[in-house]
Amino acid sequence: MKRVLERCSGAALLLVLSACTGEQSALVSRGREASEIGSLFWIATAVSAAVTILVIIAIMFALWGPPTWKDLLSRERAVLLGGIVLPVLVLTYLLVQGSTLLQAGVARTQRSGEPSITIVGKRWWWEVIYHLPNGETVASANELRLPVGRPISVRLETADVIHSFWAPQLGGKLDMIPGRSNVITLEATEPGTSRGQCAEYCGGAHALMAFYVVALPPKDYRAWLSREAADARTPQTEQERLGERLFMTSGCGACHTVRGTEARGVIAPDLTHVGSRRSLAAATLPNDEEAFARWIAENQHIKPENLMPEFDVFTPQQLEALSAYLSSLK
Amino acid sequence: MTASDEKSLPNPAPRPQSEVDDLLRAWATPKGFRIVTAVNNTVIGLIYIAAALLFFLLAGALGVLIRTQLAVPENTFLNQDLYNQIFTVHGTTMMFLFAVPAMEALGVMLLPQMLAARDLPFPRLSAFAVWAYIIGGLVFFSTVFYGLAPRGGWFMYTPLTLKEFSPGDNADFWLLGIGFIEISAIAGAIEIVVGTLRTRPPGMSLAKMPIFAWAMLIFAAMIMLAFPAVIFGTMLLEIERSFGWPFFTAAKGGDPLLWQHLFWFFGHPEVYIIFLPAAGLVSMIVPTMAGRPLVGYRPIVVALIGTGFFSFGLWVHHMFTTGIPALSLGFFSAASMAVAIPSGIQMFAWIATIAGSKGRFRITTPSLFVLGFLFIFTIGGLTGVMVALVPIDLQVHDTYFVVAHFHYVLIGGMVFPLFATFYYWAPMASRKQLSEKLGRWVFGLMFVGFNVAFFPMHLTGLRGMPRRVWTYPEGVGWDTLNMISTAGAYMLAAGVLLFLLDLALNFRPTSAGGEGNPWKAGSLEWLPSDIYSTRSIPLITSREPLWEQPGLERQVEEGHHFLPNAPTGGRETIVTSPIEAEPEYILRMPGPSWTHVTAAVFTAGFFLLLTIKLVVPAIICGVVAIAACLAWTWSLDPSPGRKPVDIGGGISLPTYMAGPRSHSWWAMVVLIIVIASLYTAYVFSYLYLWVVSPEVWAPVGSPMLPAPSWPLGSAALAVAGTASMVAATRLLPEPGGRNAALPWAIAAAAICLTSAIALEIAGHWLTGLRPTENAYSAMVFMGSALNAQLGFAIVVLLGFATARYLTGKLNRERRVSIENGAILYYYTAAQLVAGLILVHGFPRVAV
């Protein structure tokens, strides 16, 4: 028993030490909320580990300890001490820590003002809308860009079922609920890219509803936002022009918007600058020409039940042209 | 024990062997295929446990499939849709078809033995619940084989589970599965409350009751208060799916979060509903292995009650990420942490008992499982404290950290004690003990396998892996951890398979008494027994009677205690007073029958056919089921004409009881508490939706309420009906006599009630209000739907009472059949009037 426990705790320690890696890890913080929660988490973990060890020691003494210890442990007073006094102290301490942090989060949300970004969860992708100071909006999808060093309020809504927005390296999650509008405050503390994912089961392709968060220095962010607000780049090569024609004549514009063209659909992701995003299909595929072609022709195999039909009518050349066009929409 | 002590026993004289023959005849188990008609708790309990174990294996197999799929990233072993169905059925089956039924099954199996009662007070009711559960459960589970299984998760969040996003019958099968567990849970709660409070052996006051019985009593009380919320929730969901009453549709004033509140108001206590009996089992095993009484009996009872109480104050901790205001988050966070205290008390009480062992604490297979439980449950409890901290929950909610947490709590807190139970109590139900040697291997594989499978999941979750995903990309940092978890899951499964081998090799079921008392335990289930339980029902003077009342086994076996015979010639047990356990009367119990089996089969048929929208055959099944129930209950109010029976110790007991001292009255009160909690869920939902969407409420968002004369008329009818019902109970004739006014009074009561309900519906209908309009109109008509349900039951009960009168089976003495109808009637009239005040008064005051 003892040996098994030692081995278990050894393995556990190893796992804990290796935990702090991964682009979606809550233990790697690139945001203020995440780093504060991280500190609370380590405190709670330490306390829990201490209590676990205490209980194990108590059990071992109860089983194999010297008679005097056994005698002490077997009194009703030991039950009240271990069962009431110990938990009350530990829990009060943790509760105070947790509540302080909770209040700080609330205060920060109140300070950070009106949300400047709205994210709408849809089956199974994210519409990201930036509200410009002049009242205009810029629609994008499956990627959230933030300026480093300032708290940003993000409004979270849904177009269909409940989703939950979660960017672990920045902070905790918050649900997107029909009929409600929740606001989350995020503050990126360093530039870089991390991954997030829908955390509330939303049916079908829930597993394939992820996104990237890109934190930029404020200057870069402003530059990016003005580029993002512009209309789509016009096709340059013959192949891109063929791709654009195919896009417009095959009905793609019924669902997708490419600003500056006749494609003004609203039910699917805005593709105006799709070529500049990190991924396709809500972080399901890398963003390259081959991925575009695969997605158009066999998306139901890649992401079953997604609401886009497969277009297997195109010849390989046509697919290449479409992919080239879409990739060029930087 | 001296000779004079022997003389003071209730029946000191030697007893004739013919009494044992009478008992054997009365309690004979049906042979061959007729075993399905059996009602004896040792037979039914075993079938119940076997069924629960079967569902554990089936759902466990699905768990292994899940782990196989997740072993490597981007796996194609299971496709997306099948995976979604599998994890839904895994969770639903584990929670609803395994965990709760397993605990009820243990209650059915063990409680009467621990209380030395001959059976539970309502033997056919438990048998009915068992068969309904087995049929319904198997049909529900089988949907996973032909792609008809629900895919909304065991929590079935709206609006994902509404028709728009879940077309097809899959989601309805979930509601069906739940329907059956609801039936068997409520039936179980009635059995257990009345069983623990009224069928204890003489002298076993509440303070001497075994901890397991305490745990089961609190378990039953929690079912009474928690299950109605989910019953009501499933009613709303099915009505919205089938008829479009918009309770959960935000666009029409409904709210998806209402479902979450109702579900978790049940769902959180559910965890403790599963855990409390398991803790009770541990509190029985530990003292035996320690060879001494439990340390801290009273603190443990207080802790059990405290757990039950607190568990109703923390449902919102499943909803920390829904954007609820910080103030309520703080409250529910504190409550969630407070519930750890009662668990701490029990934990240290067990440790204290181990430490205080007489000699060495015996390390047997049951002890190993108990020690494994202590370790695993401690970790699960502490990660529970972590997720009760709101900021941490915001990160780990709906991730594999939570998957790890609740498997530590549920497998640690329930499955390990259950396996301890299997090994510990097998000798009571089997001619052969399970193998201690194999048992150690079973424990080893399960303990190591469990920890290898689930400990890494804490980290997988912290590294960002959400729950309920059928696939994950390579290189995010989850690959190795998932592979380790899968390996552990296979090891855990190997442990369970080895247990099955042990069962096959050694378990030889018998209801005629098992192997004696191999662990030298102190509680009554280890008394020598046969199909009739113990030969005589012992007089109890201590908490561990087999330790502190020397010679008890022999005295009981020789018939020196109470009721060593079958004086009425049938099945019977002693009913005692609820607190001090003083003998009150002899309960004559029904024996084997086809009626309850028929009722179970056709109840299952009714729900199944309704699920696949075959309405007419469903109604036919429903009618047959009700008819079978009536045939079953026809024999339950036997003639009171017998003389009191001598049970020993100079005590003579009547063999019939009506009124507030009868077991039937108690069962009805339990049922009414269930119905009242369901109505409370309705009132909560009404007010909740008003808070969310006052804009759809009358008179602004909906037609003006009907004029006050409508509700006043309805209330007047309810009052008149109640008066008529009171009159009916006073008009009962003397035995053998007649009173022609009685049927008229009963009919008047029934007509008044149905008219009162109809008037309320008509009033709203005539204002132009339609239930599909918005959340307000749906809630208004839902109130009447609940009243109409009870009205239907009352009409059936009153019709039954009238038939009893016409056949001369209802009179001033023999009056249980009308009493039950009357109690339900008074309650329903009160509920109706309360509903009128809410529906007609609230909008007038609030706007």
Side-chain angles (χ1 to χ4, degrees):
Chain A
M1 181 80 190
K2 207 168 165 184
R3 229 165 359 132
V4 171
L5 287 175
E6 271 166 15
R7 226 177 303 154
C8 282
S9 55
L13 192 68
L14 203 71
L15 286 167
V16 169
L17 290 177
S18 64
C20 311
T21 56
E23 56 180 351
Q24 199 165 317
S25 173
L27 300 173
V28 183
S29 58
R30 290 174 195 276
R32 194 157 155 190
E33 284 70 23
S35 91
E36 287 177 357
I37 296 175
S39 318
L40 178 65
F41 169 79
W42 287 115
I43 292 173
T45 305
V47 170
S48 300
V51 174
T52 308
I53 291 168
L54 194 78
V55 170
I56 291 171
I57 291 173
I59 293 173
M60 286 179 166
F61 270 91
L63 285 171
W64 302 301
T68 43
W69 276 89
K70 281 189 170 188
D71 187 47
L72 280 176
L73 269 175
S74 67
R75 294 191 190 161
E76 207 160 304
R77 190 180 296 167
V79 175
L80 301 182
L81 210 65
I84 298 178
V85 178
L86 174 72
V88 166
L89 291 176
V90 168
L91 295 174
T92 311
Y93 171 70
L94 288 177
L95 190 65
V96 168
Q97 296 280 334
S99 306
T100 315
L101 192 50
L102 189 63
Q103 287 311 321
V106 172
R108 194 149 53 228
T109 302
Q110 280 163 354
R111 275 202 310 276
S112 58
E114 271 301 289
S116 55
I117 301 174
T118 298
I119 303 181
V120 184
K122 301 191 172 184
R123 288 180 305 159
W124 287 272
W125 59 283
W126 314 83
E127 182 171 41
V128 183
I129 302 161
Y130 299 84
H131 304 273
L132 304 181
N134 62 11
E136 281 175 31
T137 59
V138 179
S140 176
N142 299 329
E143 193 164 297
L144 173 64
R145 298 214 175 205
L146 294 171
V148 170
R150 56 185 74 152
I152 301 288
S153 284
V154 181
R155 187 181 298 286
L156 301 174
E157 290 170 355
T158 174
D160 37 57
V161 300
I162 300 176
H163 303 279
S164 189
F165 176 85
W166 184 36
Q169 295 197 355
L170 289 177
K173 59 183 72 62
L174 193 58
D175 294 351
M176 303 162 138
I177 299 168
R180 282 163 196 261
S181 174
N182 278 333
V183 176
I184 191 171
T185 303
L186 300 170
E187 182 180 336
T189 47
E190 58 180 273
T193 304
S194 67
R195 196 173 186 272
Q197 192 164 355
C198 178
E200 183 57 82
Y201 177 67
C202 50
H206 163 64
L208 300 172
M209 184 173 169
F211 59 93
Y212 282 99
V213 181
V214 183
L216 300 165
K219 213 172 77 192
D220 296 1
Y221 175 76
R222 281 194 297 276
W224 169 81
L225 189 55
S226 64
R227 277 203 309 280
E228 190 73 7
D231 282 351
R233 166 183 176 278
T234 44
Q236 306 291 310
T237 68
E238 191 50 46
Q239 197 188 28
E240 287 168 15
R241 275 192 288 274
L242 172 62
E244 184 187 32
R245 266 202 310 282
L246 283 166
F247 187 89
M248 299 305 159
T249 54
S250 308
C252 306
C255 300
H256 294 283
T257 290
V258 178
R259 290 197 301 274
T261 76
E262 64 206 54
R264 290 197 191 91
V266 292
I267 63 170
D270 185 304
L271 300 179
T272 309
H273 299 290
V274 66
S276 66
R277 295 182 201 146
R278 289 189 56 95
S279 71
L280 294 184
T284 305
L285 292 175
N287 188 348
D288 56 35
E289 293 192 21
E290 191 205 332
F292 272 115
R294 278 188 61 208
W295 177 257
I296 293 167
E298 49 185 292
N299 63 65
Q300 289 300 330
H301 294 81
I302 298 164
K303 186 167 174 175
E305 297 177 54
N306 88 81
L307 302 184
M308 174 167 161
E310 282 182 356
F311 287 80
D312 51 4
V313 293
F314 300 116
T315 64
Q317 289 75 19
Q318 289 175 318
L319 267 182
E320 266 174 45
L322 264 170
S323 306
Y325 166 63
L326 290 166
S327 273
S328 78
L329 297 174
K330 301 278 186 199
Chain B
M1 170 141 285
T2 62
S4 68
D5 283 343
E6 292 272 324
K7 282 218 182 71
S8 67
L9 292 173
N11 284 303
R15 309 295 305 185
Q17 177 61 28
S18 64
E19 288 180 346
V20 177
D21 300 335
D22 289 346
L23 281 168
L24 284 173
R25 199 176 317 114
W27 291 90
T29 310
K31 296 272 181 292
F33 73 95
R34 285 174 179 276
I35 190 86
V36 298
T37 65
V39 293
N40 202 332
N41 79 295
T42 45
V43 178
I44 278 297
L46 218 48
I47 296 173
Y48 210 166
I49 292 172
L53 187 62
L54 174 68
F55 285 114
F56 173 68
L57 297 174
L58 289 170
L62 296 185
V64 170
L65 291 181
I66 290 173
R67 280 316 321 162
T68 308
Q69 166 68 13
L70 295 178
V72 291
E74 285 154 41
N75 198 356
T76 51
F77 172 66
L78 298 174
N79 67 43
Q80 174 178 298
D81 186 51
L82 187 57
Y83 184 90
N84 290 345
Q85 294 189 28
I86 284 179
F87 85 73
T88 300
V89 176
H90 168 75
T92 307
T93 306
M94 281 295 189
M95 294 302 272
F96 290 110
L97 298 176
F98 161 60
V100 177
M103 287 309 162
E104 295 206 324
L106 289 175
V108 169
M109 185 74 193
L110 294 176
L111 268 185
Q113 313 309 108
M114 283 184 190
L115 303 178
R118 297 214 189 277
D119 205 336
L120 283 167
F122 307 97
R124 286 187 189 168
L125 182 65
S126 12
F128 166 81
V130 171
W131 294 116
Y133 151 70
I134 290 177
I135 299 167
L138 286 176
V139 172
F140 165 77
F141 191 88
S142 68
T143 56
V144 79
F145 297 122
Y146 25 86
L148 269 177
R151 40 170 98 83
W154 86 282
F155 45 92
M156 291 289 280
Y157 275 6
T158 56
L160 179 60
T161 47
L162 294 179
K163 239 355 188 229
E164 183 185 356
F165 302 109
S166 296
D169 292 336
N170 304 49
D172 304 296
F173 276 105
W174 183 87
L175 295 160
L176 169 87
I178 298 307
F180 284 104
I181 182 63
E182 284 160 359
I183 291 174
S184 63
I186 301 290
I190 293 172
E191 285 281 18
I192 288 162
V193 170
V194 183
T196 50
L197 290 179
R198 302 303 306 283
T199 64
R200 297 200 306 276
M204 186 193 274
S205 61
L206 278 184
K208 295 194 190 79
M209 191 159 79
I211 290 286
F212 178 68
W214 270 110
M216 289 309 284
L217 180 61
I218 296 155
F219 161 93
M222 290 176 70
I223 285 184
M224 285 156 58
L225 300 176
F227 264 77
V230 78
I231 295 175
F232 182 65
T234 50
M235 275 181 192
L236 297 188
L237 182 52
E238 190 55 54
I239 290 174
E240 173 150 8
R241 283 182 60 83
S242 304
F243 307 111
W245 298 17
F247 302 106
F248 306 115
T249 303
K252 289 185 168 184
D255 187 3
L257 285 190
L258 173 61
W259 169 263
Q260 296 191 18
H261 281 291
L262 291 173
F263 186 82
W264 291 118
F265 186 79
F266 144 81
H268 201 84
E270 156 92 347
V271 175
Y272 294 95
I273 285 174
I274 294 166
F275 170 65
L276 284 189
L281 295 164
V282 171
S283 289
M284 303 296 290
I285 297 173
V286 168
T288 299
M289 296 307 167
R292 59 155 296 155
L294 194 62
V295 176
Y297 176 94
R298 270 165 209 278
I300 284 189
V301 172
V302 173
L304 290 170
I305 296 170
T307 307
F309 179 78
F310 281 126
S311 71
F312 285 95
L314 18 133
W315 81 94
V316 171
H317 81 206
H318 296 266
M319 300 166 65
F320 281 165
T321 65
T322 57
I324 280 171
L327 186 67
S328 20
L329 291 183
F331 170 79
F332 284 103
S333 176
S336 306
M337 299 180 91
V339 79
I341 294 169
S343 298
I345 294 175
Q346 295 189 72
M347 192 68 78
F348 278 89
W350 296 320
I351 294 176
T353 311
I354 294 174
S357 298
K358 238 187 202 164
R360 271 181 84 89
F361 182 77
R362 275 182 288 164
I363 303 286
T364 57
T365 301
S367 329
L368 285 175
F369 275 104
V370 166
L371 292 173
F373 149 76
L374 292 178
F375 174 74
I376 296 172
F377 188 72
T378 302
I379 293 181
L382 286 162
T383 53
V385 168
M386 291 170 79
V387 296
L389 288 165
V390 179
I392 293 182
D393 187 64
L394 296 182
Q395 280 287 19
V396 300
H397 178 71
D398 271 337
T399 70
Y400 265 84
F401 186 91
V402 170
V403 175
H405 156 67
F406 71 74
H407 281 92
Y408 266 78
V409 171
L410 292 173
I411 296 188
M414 186 267 175
V415 176
F416 273 68
L418 183 68
F419 274 75
T421 299
F422 287 152
Y423 277 92
Y424 180 79
W425 273 285
M428 191 193 90
S430 161
R431 284 188 295 274
K432 217 170 144 192
Q433 202 168 339
L434 295 180
S435 160
E436 275 290 298
K437 203 170 158 195
L438 276 178
R440 277 156 208 262
W441 278 96
V442 172
F443 167 75
L445 283 169
M446 285 182 68
F447 182 79
V448 177
F450 169 80
N451 284 293
V452 172
F454 291 97
F455 194 83
M457 285 185 194
H458 292 108
L459 294 163
T460 322
L462 288 167
R463 286 185 176 191
M465 183 161 166
R467 296 166 74 174
R468 300 157 187 150
V469 292
W470 69 280
T471 186
Y472 57 93
E474 203 177 337
V476 190
W478 308 333
D479 313 11
T480 317
L481 291 167
N482 271 303
M483 183 52 99
I484 296 172
S485 287
T486 302
Y490 279 110
M491 201 167 163
L492 177 58
V496 175
L497 289 178
L498 194 62
F499 169 72
L500 292 183
L501 179 71
D502 197 355
L503 274 187
L505 290 176
N506 296 311
F507 193 70
R508 298 289 172 267
T510 171
S511 56
E515 261 220 340
N517 186 0
W519 312 111
K520 307 278 171 285
S523 44
L524 296 178
E525 74 274 26
W526 301 105
L527 282 173
S529 69
D530 205 318
I531 48 173
Y532 47 78
S533 275
T534 53
R535 163 76 194 279
S536 56
I537 296 177
L539 173 66
I540 298 304
T541 56
S542 61
R543 260 181 219 152
E544 277 82 17
L546 266 57
W547 290 345
E548 290 164 40
Q549 294 174 240
L552 189 66
E553 286 101 326
R554 188 181 48 76
Q555 297 161 8
V556 162
E557 186 64 357
E558 288 173 2
H560 294 313
H561 283 262
F562 293 111
L563 199 69
N565 49 7
T568 68
R571 300 183 172 204
E572 58 213 3
T573 199
I574 303 174
V575 174
T576 50
S577 64
I579 295 176
E580 290 302 327
E582 283 153 8
E584 289 196 331
Y585 68 100
I586 296 288
L587 164 56
R588 282 183 275 164
M589 290 190 283
S593 162
W594 282 104
T595 52
H596 64 270
V597 183
T598 314
V601 170
F602 283 88
T603 307
F606 171 74
F607 281 115
L608 278 172
L609 293 165
L610 210 55
T611 305
I612 52 174
K613 313 286 183 289
L614 293 175
V615 178
V616 175
I619 290 173
I620 294 171
C621 281
V623 171
V624 175
I626 291 173
C629 285
L630 295 179
W632 149 19
T633 42
W634 191 257
S635 64
L636 292 189
D637 190 15
S639 164
R642 289 171 175 279
K643 290 206 167 54
V645 168
D646 176 35
I647 63 163
I651 300 172
S652 270
L653 296 182
T655 61
Y656 185 87
M657 185 62 71
R661 283 168 82 187
S662 80
H663 59 291
S664 148
W665 191 90
W666 278 62
M668 203 62 206
V669 168
V670 172
L671 190 61
I672 295 227
I673 295 174
V674 170
I675 301 169
S677 351
L678 194 144
Y679 200 72
T680 310
Y682 165 73
V683 174
F684 165 81
S685 304
Y686 178 97
L687 295 173
Y688 177 85
L689 286 179
W690 174 75
V691 170
V692 173
S693 311
E695 70 278 0
V696 300
W697 244 247
V700 180
S702 290
M704 189 66 196
L705 285 160
S709 52
W710 287 88
L712 289 176
S714 185
L717 279 167
V719 172
T722 305
S724 188
M725 197 66 230
V726 174
T729 56
R730 301 225 168 130
L731 289 171
L732 292 174
E734 291 300 326
R738 283 264 175 250
N739 188 341
L742 180 65
W744 294 106
I746 293 177
I751 291 167
C752 282
L753 186 67
T754 42
S755 314
I757 296 166
L759 201 61
E760 165 68 358
I761 298 171
H764 289 288
W765 190 268
L766 292 177
T767 63
L769 195 70
R770 296 293 177 270
T772 51
E773 200 57 40
N774 55 39
Y776 162 77
S777 63
M779 276 331 278
V780 166
F781 284 103
M782 191 64 209
S784 288
L786 292 178
N787 291 336
Q789 263 179 357
L790 293 182
F792 177 74
I794 285 170
V795 168
V796 172
L797 284 181
L798 293 184
F800 182 75
T802 311
R804 301 281 293 182
Y805 165 75
L806 294 176
T807 49
K809 290 179 172 17
L810 181 66
N811 54 50
R812 213 169 273 272
E813 277 176 20
R814 195 180 183 182
R815 56 175 203 267
V816 167
S817 35
I818 198 169
E819 259 174 15
N820 286 340
I823 302 172
L824 188 62
Y825 194 104
Y826 304 144
Y827 168 77
T828 306
Q831 174 179 307
L832 185 124
V833 173
L836 292 173
I837 293 170
L838 176 75
V839 168
H840 293 268
F842 181 77
R844 288 186 161 93
V845 182
V847 180

